[in-house]
């Protein structure tokens, strides 16, 4: 992605904020960690937005990433380390991250998120709430949280719940990685631009072109969407409000796609699946993105007191044995009503949040 790298970049800056003509740039520069976000980076991005949004010379702001990713997620290792002993420290990270994500949705200037490469978890939170979302042939988009005993956060419950034909439910529950065509089909990106054309796209905006006209000039056909090809099945199965019903419907269908989807789900934390389905369904009827952030934040507090998040991160990131032992181990063993009722509302992260039942 050297063609997108701002001039004057130095290796010790994890977030590079720069101005190129009419274009403000926020470039994530922690490639060795796939630009995963820590608290310092969250604050630097926020400060960068402050500077660029208030600068009258800036017509638009572009978010890009160094190396193979825009951003592969948040600092789950830190949360794993402090979650049991200092849960307020973990919650403080989420609070600042969520406020930043929400702020992106209300920016007064176009926010161009360039999802060239890996864009997962925290990277999704920096992207999908923006006004203009670009994918490329290199895009690897996912909300893989059910695989680590967690759930799609960073406003993911809001964005996924609004995808057509329950595509977002499939994405959030399976944790599967998708490409450009499926990301656009799910309403989580707006256009596909070839990776090699990105420097020209950014240069056009820097020269004063509108973001819309520049995207239109460089966009290409997004190709075939696997989600669209299986839309009837996804829409019928994932409309259910019960995970066991979803499992049974996939089993009964018997198609290759149903079998592969069921295999993905069976590898995930049963607790995470129940929580994720509840949060997505609640988000469908929520009045605002902020309401969903508050609900996710309350669920964070519950997750920190549980088992599967620590086990999932251990297996994926700490020991890397890829063999989490979930507790409960089976979907039928999860006390679904008790789990959902254990989500206790916390004070809103936003002074203007819409009142809504958690």
């Amino acid at each position: 992605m050297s063609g997108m790298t701002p001039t004057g970049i130095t290796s010790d800056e994890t977030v590079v904020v720069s101005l190129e003509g009419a274009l403000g740039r926020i470039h994530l520069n922690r490639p060795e960690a796939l630009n995963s976000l820590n608290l310092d980076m969250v604050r630097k991005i926020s400060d960068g937005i402050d500077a660029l949004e208030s600068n009258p010379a800036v017509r638009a702001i572009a978010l890009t990433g160094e190396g193979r990713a825009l951003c592969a997620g948040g600092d789950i290792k830190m949360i794993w380390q402090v979650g049991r002993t200092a849960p307020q420290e973990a919650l403080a990270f989420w609070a600042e991250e969520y406020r930043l994500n929400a702020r992106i949705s209300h920016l007064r200037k176009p926010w161009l998120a360039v999802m060239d490469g890996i864009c997962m978890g925290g990277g999704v939170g920096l992207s999908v709430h923006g006004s203009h979302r670009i994918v490329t042939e290199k895009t690897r988009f996912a909300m893989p949280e059910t695989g680590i005993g967690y759930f799609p956060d960073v406003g993911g419950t809001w964005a996924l719940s609004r995808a057509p034909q329950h595509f977002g439910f499939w994405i959030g529950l399976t944790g599967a990685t998708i490409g450009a065509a499926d990301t656009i089909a799910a309403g989580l990106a707006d256009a596909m631009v070839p990776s090699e054309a990105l420097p020209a796209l950014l240069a056009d905006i820097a020269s004063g072109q509108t973001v819309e006209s520049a995207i239109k000039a460089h966009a290409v056909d997004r190709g075939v969407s696997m989600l669209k090809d299986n839309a009837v099945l996804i829409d019928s199965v994932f409309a259910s409000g019960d995970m066991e019903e979803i499992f049974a419907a996939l089993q009964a269908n018997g198609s290759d796609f149903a079998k592969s989807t069921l295999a993905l789900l069976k590898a995930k934390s049963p607790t995470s699946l129940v929580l994720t389905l509840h949060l997505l369904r609640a988000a469908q009827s929520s009045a605002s993105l902020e309401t969903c952030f508050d609900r996710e934040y309350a669920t964070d507090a519950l997750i920190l007191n549980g088992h599967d998040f620590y086990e999932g991160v251990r297996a994926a990131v700490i020991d890397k044995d890829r063999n989490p032992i979930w507790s409960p181990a089976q979907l039928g063993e999860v006390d679904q009503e008790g789990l959902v009722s254990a989500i206790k509302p916390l004070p809103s992260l936003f002074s203007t949040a819409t009142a809504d039942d958690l």
Side-chain angles (χ1 to χ4, degrees), residues 35 247 294 326:
N35 300 320
F247 273 46
D294 280 341
W326 306 124

Side-chain angles (χ1 to χ4, degrees), residues 275-327:
L275 281 174
T276 298
L277 184 59
H278 163 71
L279 292 168
L280 288 172
R281 288 178 65 83
Q284 280 184 309
S285 58
S286 293
S288 70
L289 171 61
E290 284 78 7
T291 297
C292 293
F293 276 121
D294 280 341
R295 189 183 297 112
E296 292 171 6
Y297 189 58
T299 310
D300 287 333
L302 177 67
I303 285 284
L304 293 176
N305 285 318
H307 166 274
D308 278 10
F309 172 73
Y310 299 102
E311 174 61 11
V313 176
R314 178 207 65 75
V317 179
I318 309 302
D319 297 337
K320 299 182 180 178
D321 60 23
R322 306 289 174 183
N323 186 34
I325 308 300
W326 306 124
S327 179

Side-chain angles (χ1 to χ4, degrees), residues 164-171 174 176 178 181-182 185-186 223-239 249-250 253-262 264:
Q165 298 176 287
H166 290 90
F167 290 168
F169 282 67
W170 186 91
I171 293 166
T174 66
I178 58 176
D182 287 324
V224 176
S225 164
M226 168 270 298
L227 292 177
K228 281 190 174 180
D229 285 349
N230 294 279
V232 174
L233 171 61
I234 293 170
D235 201 22
S236 62
V237 169
F238 287 88
L250 291 168
N253 181 274
S255 67
D256 287 345
F257 182 78
K259 288 176 182 176
S260 64
T261 295
L262 187 58
L264 286 170

Side-chain angles (χ1 to χ4, degrees), residues 10 25 32 40 58 74 78 121 180 182 193 201 206 224 234 248 252 265 270 287 320 323 326 328 350:
T10 57
R25 296 285 307 275
E32 72 283 356
D40 179 63
V58 174
M78 177 277 291
D182 287 324
V193 172
L201 170 72
V224 176
I234 293 170
L265 293 172
K320 299 182 180 178
N323 186 34
W326 306 124
F350 313 94

Side-chain angles (χ1 to χ4, degrees), residues 37 42 72-76 79 90-91 93-99 101-102 120-129 141-146 148-161 168 171-173 188 272 275-276 279-280 283 289 292-301 303-304 309 349:
L37 299 174
V42 168
D75 199 352
I76 58 170
I79 293 168
L91 287 169
F93 169 78
W94 277 315
E96 291 202 39
E97 183 183 25
Y98 295 176
R99 289 188 185 109
N101 299 151
M120 300 181 181
V124 173
L126 295 176
S127 303
V128 299
H129 308 303
F141 183 103
M143 291 298 281
E145 289 80 8
T146 56
I148 58 165
Y150 190 49
F151 62 89
D153 68 331
V154 295
T157 57
W158 168 268
L160 294 173
S161 73
I171 293 166
L173 289 163
L188 302 168
S272 290
L275 281 174
T276 298
L279 292 168
L280 288 172
L289 171 61
C292 293
F293 276 121
D294 280 341
R295 189 183 297 112
E296 292 171 6
Y297 189 58
T299 310
D300 287 333
I303 285 284
L304 293 176
F309 172 73
L349 296 171

